[in-house]
Amino acid sequence: MEPTSNDTVQQFVEAWGAMGALWGINRSVARVHALLMATEGHLSLEEISERLQMSKGNASMSLRELRTFGVVRQVEVPGDRRDFYVTEPDVWTMFFRIMKERKRREFDPALDAIHQLLEQPSAKGEVLGRLKQMSDLLATVESLANRFLKDPASSKAALSFMADLPFSPKRPKK
Amino acid sequence: MEPTSNDTVQQFVEAWGAMGALWGINRSVARVHALLMATEGHLSLEEISERLQMSKGNASMSLRELRTFGVVRQVEVPGDRRDFYVTEPDVWTMFFRIMKERKRREFDPALDAIHQLLEQPSAKGEVLGRLKQMSDLLATVESLANRFLKDPASSKAALSFMADLPFSPKRPKK
DNA sequence: TCGTGTGTTCAGAATAGTCTGAACGATGGA
DNA sequence: TCCATCGTTCAGACTATTCTGAACACACGA
């Protein structure tokens, strides 16, 4: 089978790179990820750095980030000193792993800060009401996140199911 | 009723400011929003600028952003030339409005770019499979977003319901 | 042991994002 | 009309983030 055209790969790399901001990962990291996704086999650090026109240093750091997310892993080739990289093949799994890591890094600390604040007894009146509401909201988001991020396979099914329900689950009131 | 202590307001402003990054809104915008949330009545541009130690220019731009999100509105006071501002009082409504605007600004264009790419017939093999999966994933996210962002009131109920379901909806396979 | 090929680190350069403050336009009172 | 007050804009200052490339560490074969 002939390979995917370089041009398409190129475009995909840039599109995914731009989209990275949405998921909260930076452009270089997203571009490396895209290149690996668009590649059948494995790639070496040097090859990645060349194809994406970025320094080896940057490529190395980006790969480390991707391994931390758990969406890229290293493969050994016997008799070759270089490290090679492949992407996790399941897109949903990738998606959940990235979300999980982001939640840990960003959401959880922010949630702590707000909670701590809510324990102080100084808020009054309407302001207190808003803080309570916000605490509820954050608790709900947190609970949903924990539930869905726990198990990608069944979450995927649940989400797809919800997305495909016929419109709409509720008539407007009255 | 005595007012919420200034110290708590201060802390809340900073906590919310830091949290802004999570929702994709910048620090100044989030700080202005926080101050309005922590304030019973309305505030003038000048007062906001003073209390938050930021330039009137920045405060003005931040308020414009918040009005675009639909989470802050202007109130007129008869006989006063100044504009005053209040926040939308319902936290969930705020949350959905911000998400909706962000989706429009960031997700939709990215989605378009990927879709356009998928129409090109050049992708092959495993790579094609991944692109298909990704398209599915994005379509699901899009569909869920449309559904939930459409109607804050019932979505709030639905999300709270899901969050409170007893653990866990599914036994691990086998 | 030395030389070569490899990956990593990090100081500083480059870039991107944010904020200020002066200039300006608009409004209304005198 | 003129003046005072208020909100907005945006060029440029400032700050934060990202990226490069040189230095280094390590492993292997000769």
Side-chain angles (χ1 to χ4, degrees):
Chain A
M1 175 172 275
E2 75 187 292
T4 300
S5 94
N6 264 344
D7 206 45
T8 302
V9 170
Q10 189 67 29
Q11 279 181 268
F12 176 64
V13 163
E14 299 314 326
W16 199 245
M19 216 167 165
L22 243 181
W23 319 83
I25 67 188
N26 88 14
R27 211 179 69 101
S28 294
V29 174
R31 293 200 330 136
V32 171
H33 188 199
L35 180 59
L36 286 168
M37 281 197 283
T39 300
E40 197 83 39
H42 53 221
L43 293 173
S44 69
L45 178 66
E46 177 128 36
E47 196 161 1
I48 292 168
S49 147
E50 270 168 20
R51 303 255 323 250
L52 299 181
Q53 307 254 71
M54 69 170 63
S55 70
K56 287 203 306 165
N58 195 13
S60 172
M61 288 188 298
S62 297
L63 285 164
R64 174 143 51 89
E65 180 87 337
L66 289 165
R67 272 176 290 158
T68 306
F69 281 135
V71 300
V72 158
R73 77 196 155 76
Q74 218 164 319
V75 295
E76 302 295 331
V77 172
D80 197 324
R81 284 217 269 127
R82 290 173 295 169
D83 299 337
F84 293 92
Y85 300 91
V86 294
T87 186
E88 153 70 40
D90 184 77
V91 173
W92 280 87
T93 301
M94 274 172 17
F95 175 73
F96 282 108
R97 288 198 182 150
I98 290 170
M99 289 295 117
K100 193 169 191 169
E101 178 68 11
R102 283 202 69 199
K103 173 178 180 301
R104 195 184 65 74
R105 286 189 200 174
E106 299 165 45
F107 183 83
D108 292 350
L111 185 59
D112 277 358
I114 298 282
H115 273 164
Q116 225 171 314
L117 197 57
L118 281 174
E119 270 156 36
Q120 295 182 216
S122 117
K124 300 278 152 50
E126 198 181 350
V127 174
L128 179 61
R130 287 197 198 121
L131 289 181
K132 286 261 177 63
Q133 271 193 72
M134 191 149 1
S135 173
D136 276 3
L137 189 157
L138 293 173
T140 302
V141 171
E142 152 107 309
S143 166
L144 286 170
N146 285 339
R147 173 154 311 199
F148 281 109
L149 296 178
K150 187 164 215 178
D151 173 7
S154 63
S155 297
K156 176 197 163 171
L159 292 174
S160 300
F161 174 73
M162 285 193 283
D164 293 340
L165 285 174
F167 242 86
S168 71
K170 221 171 191 175
R171 308 261 69 217
K173 260 197 279 195
K174 273 280 172 11
Chain B
M1 177 172 273
E2 74 187 293
T4 300
S5 94
N6 263 344
D7 206 46
T8 301
V9 170
Q10 187 67 28
Q11 277 182 271
F12 176 64
V13 163
E14 299 314 326
W16 200 246
M19 216 166 165
L22 243 181
W23 318 82
I25 66 187
N26 88 14
R27 211 178 69 99
S28 293
V29 174
R31 293 200 331 136
V32 170
H33 188 199
L35 180 58
L36 286 168
M37 281 197 282
T39 300
E40 197 83 38
H42 52 221
L43 292 174
S44 70
L45 178 65
E46 177 129 37
E47 195 161 1
I48 292 167
S49 149
E50 270 169 20
R51 301 254 325 247
L52 299 181
Q53 307 254 67
M54 68 171 63
S55 71
K56 285 203 307 168
N58 194 14
S60 172
M61 288 189 297
S62 297
L63 284 164
R64 174 143 53 89
E65 181 87 337
L66 289 166
R67 272 176 290 159
T68 306
F69 281 134
V71 301
V72 159
R73 76 195 156 77
Q74 218 163 320
V75 294
E76 302 295 332
V77 172
D80 198 323
R81 282 217 272 129
R82 289 172 297 168
D83 299 336
F84 293 92
Y85 300 92
V86 293
T87 186
E88 152 68 40
D90 185 77
V91 174
W92 281 86
T93 301
M94 274 171 19
F95 175 73
F96 282 109
R97 290 200 181 147
I98 291 171
M99 289 296 116
K100 193 169 192 170
E101 178 69 11
R102 285 202 68 200
K103 173 177 181 302
R104 194 183 67 73
R105 286 191 201 173
E106 298 166 45
F107 183 83
D108 293 349
L111 185 59
D112 276 357
I114 299 279
H115 273 166
Q116 224 171 316
L117 197 57
L118 282 174
E119 270 155 35
Q120 294 181 216
S122 118
K124 299 281 153 49
E126 198 182 350
V127 174
L128 178 60
R130 286 196 200 123
L131 289 182
K132 286 260 178 61
Q133 271 193 72
M134 192 146 3
S135 173
D136 277 2
L137 188 156
L138 293 173
T140 302
V141 171
E142 153 107 308
S143 166
L144 287 170
N146 286 337
R147 173 152 312 199
F148 281 109
L149 295 179
K150 188 165 216 180
D151 173 8
S154 65
S155 297
K156 176 198 161 168
L159 291 175
S160 299
F161 175 72
M162 284 193 282
D164 292 341
L165 285 173
F167 241 89
S168 70
K170 220 173 190 172
R171 307 260 70 216
K173 262 197 278 197
K174 276 276 172 17

